[in-house]
Amino acid sequence: SKNRLVGSLPAELGLLQSLQALDVSGNRLTGSLPRDLGNCSALRFLNAQQNQLQGPIPPQLGALQRLEILVLDNNRLSGSLPPSLANCSKLQEIWLTSNDVEGGIPQEVGAMQELRVFFVERNRL
């Protein structure tokens, strides 16, 4: 985090199947979240807050069965909250404050038994 990184997150991150934590917060990253991150089957922690990421939250993140914490605050993410996130059965925290996410909160989120933190304020939900 906070390494003055610029540019976009490469799709090749999805090749890192043993990756357990990815923290690229507080940089100047642009572009979208790569859908190939859904291939990082060991990922438990993903923090990309305080960047300039845009576009939808990839539904492929729902394949991250070990994901416990998802932090995407203060970006320009848009589209709807993907119902597939409910497939992340170990997900305990979702931080999406200050984005442009819109639509309804999927019913599936209510069935997430491990979810303790769900911050989505300052969106268009």
Side-chain angles (χ1 to χ4, degrees):
S1 70
K2 298 179 184 176
N3 283 304
R4 299 183 187 140
L5 298 175
V6 295
S8 60
L9 290 170
E12 290 80 9
L13 284 171
L15 299 173
L16 303 174
Q17 294 186 4
S18 297
L19 184 67
Q20 293 184 21
L22 177 62
D23 186 348
V24 293
S25 62
N27 286 291
R28 293 184 212 133
L29 297 172
T30 57
S32 60
L33 281 169
R35 61 179 191 225
D36 293 338
L37 282 175
N39 297 329
C40 297
S41 56
L43 197 63
R44 293 174 181 229
F45 176 77
L46 174 58
N47 185 350
Q49 72 177 340
Q50 296 179 338
N51 281 287
Q52 297 172 20
L53 297 171
Q54 57 192 17
I57 298 167
Q60 291 83 353
L61 294 184
L64 300 174
Q65 296 294 309
R66 296 183 183 174
L67 189 65
E68 297 174 8
I69 299 174
L70 177 63
V71 184
L72 301 173
D73 292 15
N74 298 300
N75 279 288
R76 297 176 184 162
L77 298 172
S78 59
S80 60
L81 192 59
S84 63
L85 284 180
N87 296 332
C88 302
S89 60
K90 297 189 184 298
L91 197 55
Q92 299 171 18
E93 299 181 18
I94 298 175
W95 299 71
L96 289 171
T97 303
S98 298
N99 279 287
D100 291 318
V101 178
E102 61 188 5
I105 297 173
Q107 270 186 294
E108 293 86 349
V109 170
M112 298 175 74
Q113 295 182 354
E114 299 293 322
L115 192 63
R116 298 184 318 232
V117 174
F118 184 64
F119 287 131
V120 294
E121 61 269 8
R122 292 189 293 280
N123 281 284
R124 294 184 289 156
L125 293 169

